[in-house]
């Protein structure tokens, strides 16, 4: 018989007690505060009177999770009975082992609902680690969802919000265990598995408890490796490989003056790792300064933003080397972020060198981002010669090894030659296995089928001759391919694609062809481009590095015309995005580049506007390294890549994002298969290909057909879903259909995709999808009255069945076609529309209204699409106004306030404030009902937005 949740809980408590935790019984809120009073007194070596502790409780219940995390690392002020100001330390974060440790279980707290928390670790009486357990065999995501319910039901307000002090959550079903920071906004994909220093996962709860929940270690993770993200005001915790890297650098600084490097694959969070390493190294007495060095301007925007999240003002963002020198000499600035170019200037120029001579013997730790690019010239030699007591640490996702090293005036040097020793490794295979980055789907586009069925060849084999590479017929065929498949690859333009080509002259041909098609009305893609106006030399073995305009590039006869072309393209960009950029000088160029980076990067945020969307970024070398944007999922390639450059370029596409981003798409118009296989072997191992690359299309099609057999064994037809008799049968259907939508999400990204290969047609699949979504809505409704249903914890992953092109405007086009159809075709078209309304996630909330429009307000047969839109807009506005009026009367809030709040939300994406909505009520609610009223008002406003605004255009 499988181990029960209670047995798992008892075993864990016994293990924790053996690790030195005091077992304490805390049945309720009263006992929780009584214990807190005793433990805080013990930790601070004092006692409190009743009135003093009441004041302490008042001080402790101030603020949200972020505010309380800040207070935990500081001291809380209170008045004693004599009126004297006293300071209370909540946790010893300097000597993190010197705290009081307890374990409790089944603490009962009542908020919106009555909840019992499985296992709670208390440090000095505060609940700082909450553990949620599920019996063996239950999906771990169920525990994650249960904690999310606690966030809604009890954490914020019940028990003075004391559980807002929780820093870390642990979820486990015995066989699988994960941890994550108390950050309400994160998804299940952002939970982590602890591991050994050599990246072996620690999944079993008992092993995890020994390694992670040991008193000193868990305290250290809270005190030193939980980061307070100042800009977003959220908590972040480091993954195991980040922890080991930061620990290794600290140990190296403490024990020697030797250098070292960290090999962590691209996309694994090197910025956070290096920041935390820098922060902790600064705490060492022997270190005077830490300087974080980037190697080119392309990282300025992201590095500035990321590091300012952690330490405001740490980035030297000026182009003036004098400012860097000034900051280096400032005794109050012990942490700096700058570029390799400015650092090089500071060391090279005599006037600057004289100024920083005072630092010659100071203990300065330099940390280099992507050290394989910044450290193979003269700068490395100059730094080590001038700063005699410096220590250098490099981070790289693709180090220079003996096989991919190139010779320069200093010889053929590897990363190991320059940095002495590799301190920690986390390879791409590790990251994919841990679900920290995605795999790649690499398609070599040599032949494709046009919409009319004709097959077209694109020459991809052995293209090295410039005249063939830039042949206009070839360019047209490749643009044809992109226009045919871009929506499929990018999930209907939800994601951005980067298109990298071999030279500026080839880029110009592609851009001009895309622009010609745009102006002819053949597509609506928003294409942006950037390149250096100094023309690059022919580069048959381009490695994907990027260059900035102030670098010493070879000038050729076409440089002036290239600059003129770029000026024209920037004007197109300005017209598209209502900006006023130019590339008249280096500063203007850089501003333009930063705007492109920001526009693409910010697509990953909920507040991103459709008007800011860049569909394709056309480049030669820029943006292929160091640029991290979760909303990039496709790389088109028409250039030769190899070694580290290939992995770096591919890795622009494989950042984890939402559920529908299952992999990074690589579409190569050259035969890069040998180079891809070689690069994978170089930066992982020869057998890693299956881990890093998706399987062929046919394999996934076969998996789909097998999964379909499983579904049909449960529900042979869509109608048979209605015959399921209990929750267990519903559960089995949900899991079976979910397996299909996961596979379909991958399959539809292939150019070869066809419903004919799957054993089910699109209509029947849509019918199953409608039943699946019906169940999803039913489960959400019943969750209010039956919180213990096994279906409540199922993740329906509805994100995988959203299709952005199916919106109200699309339905209106179908209605116009329905109105113009022959009488014998009208019923079939009506069924098609009904199926869409049932099966599309974003239309279900609008289904009744649209069906009412069809039944009662449809314009007469033969009406044009424009007449259809006018009639629908009038109907839609009346219905929206009717809903707003009902809310206004029911809640006692002016309808004009509701309209204004909705307009502002649609403009800036900021969720309306409950306090503001309450303040606009004609009659203010009581203190006790205020929270519930605010929640109800917000739900009403967001409900109007969901029904009448989202998915309309």
């Amino acid at each position: 018989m499988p181990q029960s949740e209670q047995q798992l809980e008892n075993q864990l408590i016994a293990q924790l007690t053996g690790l030195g935790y005091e077992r304490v019984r805390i049945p309720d809120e009263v006992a929780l505060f009584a214990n807190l009073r005793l433990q805080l007194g013990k930790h601070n070596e004092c006692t409190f009177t009743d009135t003093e502790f009441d004041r302490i409780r008042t001080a402790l219940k101030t603020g949200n999770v972020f505010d309380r995390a800040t207070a935990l690392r500081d001291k809380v002020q209170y008045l004693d009975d004599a009126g004297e100001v006293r300071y209370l330390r909540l946790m010893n974060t300097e000597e993190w082992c010197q705290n009081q440790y307890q374990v409790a279980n089944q603490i009962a707290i009542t908020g919106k609902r009555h909840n019992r928390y499985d296992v709670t670790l208390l440090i000095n009486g505060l609940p700082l680690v909450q553990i949620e357990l599920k019996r063996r065999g239950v999906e771990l995501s169920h525990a994650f969802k249960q904690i999310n319910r606690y966030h809604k039901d009890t954490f914020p307000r019940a028990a003075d919000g004391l559980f807002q002090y929780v820093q870390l959550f642990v979820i486990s079903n015995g066989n699988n265990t994960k941890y994550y920071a108390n950050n309400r906004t994160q998804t299940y994909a952002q939970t982590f598995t602890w591991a050994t220093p050599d990246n072996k996962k620690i999944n079993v709860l008992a092993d995890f408890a020994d390694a992670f929940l040991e008193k000193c270690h868990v305290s250290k993770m809270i005190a030193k490796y939980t980061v307070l993200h100042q800009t977003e005001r959220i908590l972040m915790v480091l993954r195991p490989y980040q922890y080991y890297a930061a620990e290794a650098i600290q140990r190296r600084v403490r024990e020697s003056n030797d250098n070292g490097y960290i090999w962590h694959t691209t996309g694994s969070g090197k910025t956070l790792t290096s920041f935390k390493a820098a922060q902790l190294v600064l705490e060492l007495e022997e270190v005077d300064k830490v300087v974080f060095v980037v190697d080119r301007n392309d990282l300025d925007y992201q590095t500035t933003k990321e590091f300012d999240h952690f330490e405001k003002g740490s980035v030297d963002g000026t182009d003036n080397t004098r400012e860097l020198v000034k900051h280096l000499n400032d005794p109050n600035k012990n942490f700096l972020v700058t570029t390799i170019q400015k650092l090089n200037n500071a060391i090279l120029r005599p006037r600057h060198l004289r100024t920083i001579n005072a630092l010659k013997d100071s203990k300065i730790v330099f940390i280099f981002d992507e050290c394989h690019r910044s450290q193979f010239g003269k700068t490395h030699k100059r730094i080590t010669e001038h700063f005699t007591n410096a220590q250098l640490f490099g981070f790289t996702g693709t180090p220079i090894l003996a096989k991919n090293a190139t010779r320069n005036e200093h010889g053929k040097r590897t990363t190991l030659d320059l940095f002495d020793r590799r301190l920690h490794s986390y390879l791409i295979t590790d990251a994919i296995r841990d679900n920290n980055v995605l795999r790649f789907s690499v398609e070599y586009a040599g032949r494709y089928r046009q919409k009319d069925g004709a097959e077209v060849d694109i020459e991809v084999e052995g293209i090295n001759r410039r005249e063939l590479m830039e042949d206009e017929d070839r360019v047209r065929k490749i643009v044809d391919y992109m226009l045919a498949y871009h929506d499929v690859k990018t999930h209907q333009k939800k994601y951005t694609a980067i298109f990298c080509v071999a030279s500026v002259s080839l880029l110009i041909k592609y851009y001009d062809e895309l622009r010609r098609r745009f102006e002819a009305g053949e597509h609506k893609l928003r294409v942006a481009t950037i390149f250096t106006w100094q023309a690059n030399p022919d580069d048959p073995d381009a490695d994907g590095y990027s260059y900035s305009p102030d670098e010493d590039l070879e000038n050729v006869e076409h440089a002036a015309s290239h600059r003129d072309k770029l000026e024209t393209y920037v004007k197109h960009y300005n017209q598209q995005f209502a900006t006023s950029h130019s590339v008249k000088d280096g500063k203007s160029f850089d501003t333009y580049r930063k705007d492109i980076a920001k526009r693409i990067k910010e697509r990953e945020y909920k507040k991103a506007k459709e008007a800011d969307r860049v569909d394709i970024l056309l480049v030669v070398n820029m943006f292929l390294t160091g640029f991290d944007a979760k909303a990039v999922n496709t790389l088109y390639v028409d250039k030769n890549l190899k070694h580290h450059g290939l992995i770096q370029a591919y890795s622009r596409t494989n950042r984890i994002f939402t559920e529908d981003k299952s992999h990074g798409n690589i579409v190569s118009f050259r035969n890069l298969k040998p180079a891809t296989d070689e690069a994978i072997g170089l930066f992982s191992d020869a057998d890693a290909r299956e881990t890093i690359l998706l399987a062929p299309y046919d394999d996934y099609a076969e998996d789909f057909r097998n999964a379909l057999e499983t579904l049909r064994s449960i529900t042979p037809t869509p109608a048979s879903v209605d015959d399921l008799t209990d929750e267990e049968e519903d559960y089995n259907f949900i899991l079976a259909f979910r397996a299909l939508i996961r596979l379909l999400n991958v399959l539809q990204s292939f150019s070869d995709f066809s419903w004919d290969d799957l054993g089910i047609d699109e209509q029947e699949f849509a019918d199953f999808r409608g039943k699946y979504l019906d169940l999803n809505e039913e489960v959400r409704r019943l969750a209010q009255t039956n919180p213990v249903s096994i279906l409540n914890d199922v993740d329906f992953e509805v994100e995988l069945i959203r299709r952005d092109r199916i919106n109200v405007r699309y339905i209106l086009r179908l209605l116009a076609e329905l109105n113009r159809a022959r009488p014998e075709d009208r019923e079939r078209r009506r069924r098609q529309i009904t199926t869409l309304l049932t099966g599309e996630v974003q239309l279900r909330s609008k289904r009744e209204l649209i069906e009412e429009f069809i039944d009662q307000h449809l314009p007469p047969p033969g009406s044009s699409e424009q007449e259809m839109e006018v009639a629908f807009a009038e109907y839609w506005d009346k219905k929206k106004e009717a809903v707003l009026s009902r809310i206004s009367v029911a809640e006692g809030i002016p309808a004009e306030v509701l309209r204004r709040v909705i307009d502002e939300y649609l403009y800036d994406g900021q969720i309306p404030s409950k306090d503001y909505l309450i303040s606009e009520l004609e009659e203010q609610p009581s203190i006790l009902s205020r929270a519930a009223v605010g929640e109800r008002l917000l739900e009403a406003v967001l409900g109007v937005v969901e029904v009448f605004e989202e998915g309309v255009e």
Side-chain angles (χ1 to χ4, degrees), residues 35 78 91 130 181 247 262 290 297 300 421-422 481 488-489 529 596 647 716 736 865 869 889 899 923:
N35 181 70
Y78 72 100
M91 181 181 181
Q130 183 60 44
E247 287 281 292
I262 305 295
V290 174
N297 292 332
D300 272 2
R421 180 182 173 189
R422 188 193 307 174
Y481 179 97
V488 170
K489 297 294 182 186
T529 187
I596 293 174
I647 295 295
E865 187 173 328
E869 289 184 4
V889 172
R899 293 188 200 98
E923 184 177 331

Side-chain angles (χ1 to χ4, degrees), residues 242-299:
Q242 295 173 309
Y243 165 85
Y244 291 122
E247 287 281 292
I249 289 175
Q250 291 173 80
R251 191 161 53 247
R252 191 78 157 171
V253 174
R254 282 196 308 266
E255 297 174 359
S256 74
N257 207 38
D258 297 330
N259 305 325
Y261 75 96
I262 305 295
W263 179 357
H264 282 181
T265 192
T266 53
S268 60
K270 292 192 292 296
T271 300
L272 177 58
T273 311
S274 54
F275 162 76
K276 179 48 70 175
Q279 190 183 58
L280 295 175
V281 164
L282 274 174
E283 295 177 5
L284 302 177
E285 290 183 7
E286 56 265 48
V287 175
D288 297 312
K289 284 183 187 290
V290 174
V291 180
F292 186 85
V293 185
V294 298
D295 77 311
R296 66 195 191 288
N297 292 332
D298 286 275
L299 276 173

Side-chain angles (χ1 to χ4, degrees), residues 439 662-663 694 697 699-708 736-750 753 758 765 797 800:
R439 292 193 292 171
S662 56
H663 56 271
L694 255 61
Y697 169 81
D699 290 12
Y700 289 104
E702 183 178 357
D703 290 344
F704 185 97
R705 291 190 295 270
N706 292 336
L708 180 63
F737 189 75
R738 189 178 69 180
L740 283 185
I741 61 175
R742 286 175 174 174
L743 285 164
L744 186 65
N745 184 58
V746 176
L747 280 163
Q748 287 183 321
S749 71
F750 282 91
F753 174 76
L758 303 187
F765 185 86
E797 299 182 11
L800 294 180

Side-chain angles (χ1 to χ4, degrees), residues 82-93:
E84 296 285 332
V85 175
R86 300 284 183 183
Y87 293 93
L88 191 70
R89 185 172 64 181
L90 301 183
M91 181 181 181
N92 187 342
T93 56

